[in-house]
Amino acid sequence: MDIYENILKENYQINSKVINFVDKCEEKIKNRYEDFSKIAMYNQVKILKAMQDSKLQSTDFSWTTGYGYGDAGRDKAEKIYADVFKTEDALVRPNIVNGTHAISLAISSNLESGDHLLSLSGRPYDTLQKVIGLTSNNKKTLLNRGIEYSEVPLIDGHIDLDSFKDYLRENTKIVMIQRSTGYSNRAAFSIDEIDKACRTIRKLKKDLIIFVDNCYGEFTDIKEPSELDVDLMAGSLIKNPGGGLAYSGGYIVGKKNLIENCASFLTAPGIGKDCGLTFGMTRQVLQGFFISPKITEDALKTALLFSKAFEELEFYVIPKSDYKRSDIITAIRLESPEILEEFCKFIQFSSPVDSQFTPMPWDMPGYKDKVIMAAGGFIEGSSIELSADGPMRDPYYVYFQGGLTYYHGKIALLNILNSLNNKELIKIK
Ligand SMILES: *Cc1c(COP(=O)(O)O)cnc(C)c1O
């Protein structure tokens, strides 16, 4: 008997069979955990060295007021991001409100009316469809501002490099690639696949801007897309790189002239990166960045344990448990509305915050079907923390991610399986 079996039984009434089952799954994937640990170690060195090289010091965490001139901490945070992602420059700000804003800012500020934006990864993430104007008629969408848009459909979940040239136009300016799964049913693109795409793009048209949406991908590998022939990349601080500590924010890294355009859009031409109060958030932003490799490692381990357990129970899981991961998302095809609701309920009940609430399917703006969401994090909407959601439609996929600690992820999995087993929605022998 494991030393924790009693405390799990006393507090959560977990059946021994369920504990046994999860421990066995863990045993089968333990060798993969070593790969994650090496990746985390590698990235920890990168980040530590960048902090030392920038001479980060305790006084950098104090902040100014008003215009925010001479905020040393803000400037160092951006230098550290640029160093770690190996880019010429970076924009890391608490007033980039989320990942969508970071991506929208990166793209919009580098396109003029008459330019063409081409997505190489098929249909982009839901919120970006609005930014582009595919699902919104807001006056400021890219389409309504005179920017052309098209996309190269994926083939079997992979980038179609053979067809790419047929979609290129004289005025194509930015090619965008979304690394992570998002709400689709494909695995995240590996660094290798993104690398091949970059090489093909450059061969055909040298001066294109290659942009990568890196949401959920940070520190899942030893290389970031920005280390490839990528010009611009963006992500959210309430996902991997915020380490669960950043209150808000987004980052954009890349070529100096492109970052300058982003800064001119975020603030104003002539002001750029020189102004912008950090409201004392530099400490959380950098402490979160510092622990991000470890937090991401635990999110990866949690993801793998869930994948393995649900595969053993004969559910279809993306990515497969033996697949090399490139983000922290797992999609599980749960096949039934009862299982989807139960899954989300027990993610919520297993959370440190708001555990007393029961998630219910609701009519979320912008979605056709009802959506159920579970999240009980310290930071609202933070999806590096344990969270899950899914649309209430056949085949009832749940998208699940995060877990600040592996132990928390494991407790949640035990609670979910225990309840499904008690209700005879699954059978654990
Ligand atoms: C999370 C995410 C975004 C941005 O989402 P926000 O909720 O605005 O932070 C964009 N693209 C992908 C692939 C994502 O996973």
Side-chain angles (χ1 to χ4, degrees), residues 97-103 124-128 178-183 186 213-217 234-239 249 327 329 381 383 401:
V97 302
N98 57 18
T100 306
H101 185 195
I103 296 161
Y125 190 73
D126 295 56
T127 56
L128 294 170
Q178 177 187 311
R179 177 181 186 178
S180 166
T181 307
Y183 285 120
R186 63 162 168 95
D213 169 356
N214 199 33
C215 280
Y216 286 129
S236 163
L237 298 200
I238 60 168
K239 293 179 180 173
D327 71 359
I329 303 183
S383 46
Q401 63 273 314

Side-chain angles (χ1 to χ4, degrees), residues 265-279:
F265 241 59
L266 179 67
T267 62
I271 308 254
K273 288 176 65 175
D274 296 333
C275 286
L277 212 57
T278 51
F279 299 94

Side-chain angles (χ1 to χ4, degrees), residues 183 332 334-345 359-364 367-374 388-399:
Y183 285 120
I332 310 172
L334 293 172
E335 310 283 359
S336 104
E338 291 82 29
I339 301 183
L340 175 55
E341 281 193 47
E342 204 64 13
F343 187 106
C344 290
K345 255 190 210 169
M360 304 288 263
W362 62 298
D363 287 303
M364 199 173 144
Y367 289 82
K368 272 203 318 286
D369 306 276
K370 284 189 166 40
V371 176
I372 186 163
M373 300 188 140
D389 46 81
M392 297 300 295
R393 65 163 175 259
D394 199 39
Y396 301 96
Y397 269 105
V398 72
Y399 296 89

